[in-house]
Amino acid sequence: MPAGLKRDVLPGDRTEAVLSATRTLQLEAEGLSALKAALASDLVGSFATALETLRACKGRVIVTGMGKSGHVGLKVAATLSSTGTPAYFVHPSEASHGDLGMITSDDVILAFSWSGETVELGNIVSYSRRFAVPLIAVTSNPDSTLAQAAEIVFALPQVKEACPHGLAPTTSTLMQLALGDCLAIALLESKGFTAVDFKALHPGGQLGARLKFVSDLMHKGDRLPLADLNAVMSEAIVVMTEKALGCLGVVDGNGKLMGIITDGDLRRNMGDALLARRAGEIMTPGPKTVAPDLLASAALEIINSSSITALFVVEDGRPVGIIHVHDLLRAGVA
């Protein structure tokens, strides 16, 4: 068929395409299953030692690899860095032209090479031996040059690539990537890396928004819609309307939050005598509240699960802020 012309896709072609995708997923799933089994048996010692070495690293984890393994290494370095383990990807070819200077004796090298015989890794391996930089090898060949040079070796199980020709790295790169994730998460957990720590490294985008605290988004000070228990409703409704947050907090003489008045409370108590009644008579007692240091994403979950639109933020029982679902949506938390 001439270049640039598209052939109609027939129903049978679609069936074959789906079967191909299913075979790919099956082979890659088998690779992950083999890796899981290896981590529970042959690789137990390697994983424990690698974890200890990486935790003790005073510098950075230098991740390296060539070709598809290099692309995996880039992602692994990014995952490590974002979860509290400083890491940097060094391209093997660039290392041979000066980037070896990025590697110090305080670092640890994590090298990916399925064959273990990647020529371009030679100078990094030699450098690591010369300056006693710990070397962790991720390969499928425990007898390879890379494995023989390394202090710690992850000898991954030999598996069938999803590529029908057995050429394009597919199952193998997925296994390398999964091992990198295993190391990153194990390090995160062993260091006690928290969501608060995560927020410091992810200030931007929706992820950064979800990691904001309630105190970052809440209304406070003069923006708080509050009225005393004994305030007449004619006055309380004025405050509620001025603040325009759809609710009113009712406090006692000590400033403690005793209840909340919502639009629904007003409708339920609508009548000729409403304006003359006291706020304490109309309020719904014991409203849901949150603390200032709660994550904004958690506050949104409470609002959604409770079918409400706002939450008062309290400290020692006293309202210090209020957060509305619109504040969370504007901040990109949802």
Side-chain angles (χ1 to χ4, degrees), residues 231-237 269 271-278 282:
V232 292
M233 286 303 297
S234 59
E235 298 172 352
I237 290 176
N269 289 277
D272 294 338
L274 173 62
L275 297 181
R277 297 176 68 183
R278 305 291 177 176
I282 304 300

Side-chain angles (χ1 to χ4, degrees), residues 230-254:
N230 295 314
V232 292
M233 286 303 297
S234 59
E235 298 172 352
I237 290 176
V238 170
V239 175
M240 184 173 172
T241 303
E242 287 178 347
K243 305 304 181 182
L245 290 168
C247 63
L248 180 75
V250 182
V251 296
D252 64 12
N254 294 316

Side-chain angles (χ1 to χ4, degrees), residues 3 9 31 51 54-55 66 73 85 88 95 128 130 133-134 137 142 156 197 212 224 234 266 291 326 333:
V9 179
L51 192 63
L54 292 170
R55 279 204 64 184
M66 194 69 192
T85 300
Y88 194 84
S128 73
R130 178 183 176 187
V133 182
L156 302 186
D197 300 318
K212 287 184 180 294
L224 285 179
S234 59
L266 295 181
H326 292 164
V333 175

Side-chain angles (χ1 to χ4, degrees), residues 120-151:
E120 291 85 351
L121 286 174
N123 288 330
I124 288 184
V125 171
S126 297
Y127 186 89
S128 73
R129 303 305 81 193
R130 178 183 176 187
F131 294 100
V133 182
L135 176 62
I136 302 172
V138 181
T139 179
S140 66
N141 184 1
D143 298 320
S144 63
T145 302
L146 176 62
Q148 293 300 311
E151 286 91 352

Side-chain angles (χ1 to χ4, degrees), residues 150-174:
E151 286 91 352
I152 304 167
V153 179
F154 284 102
L156 302 186
Q158 292 280 353
V159 293
K160 186 176 180 180
E161 299 285 11
C163 169
H165 310 298
L167 299 175
T170 44
T171 310
S172 57
T173 49
L174 182 64

Side-chain angles (χ1 to χ4, degrees), residues 248-310:
L248 180 75
V250 182
V251 296
D252 64 12
N254 294 316
K256 295 290 185 73
L257 184 67
M258 305 304 293
I260 188 172
I261 297 175
T262 65
D263 292 333
D265 293 315
L266 295 181
R267 287 192 296 272
R268 283 188 291 272
N269 289 277
M270 190 64 68
D272 294 338
L274 173 62
L275 297 181
R277 297 176 68 183
R278 305 291 177 176
E281 301 174 51
I282 304 300
M283 73 179 191
T284 298
K288 291 183 181 296
T289 62
V290 293
D293 59 355
L294 184 73
L295 284 173
S297 56
L300 180 62
E301 172 60 29
I302 294 172
I303 285 175
N304 287 336
S305 62
S306 304
S307 298
I308 57 179
T309 58

Side-chain angles (χ1 to χ4, degrees), residues 47 50-51 54 80 110 154 178-188:
F47 195 87
L51 192 63
L54 292 170
L80 287 169
L110 177 62
F154 284 102
L179 179 64
D181 286 343
C182 290
L183 287 170
I185 298 305
L187 283 165
L188 176 157

Side-chain angles (χ1 to χ4, degrees), residues 43-54:
L43 297 182
V44 169
S46 296
F47 195 87
T49 306
L51 192 63
E52 182 180 347
T53 301
L54 292 170

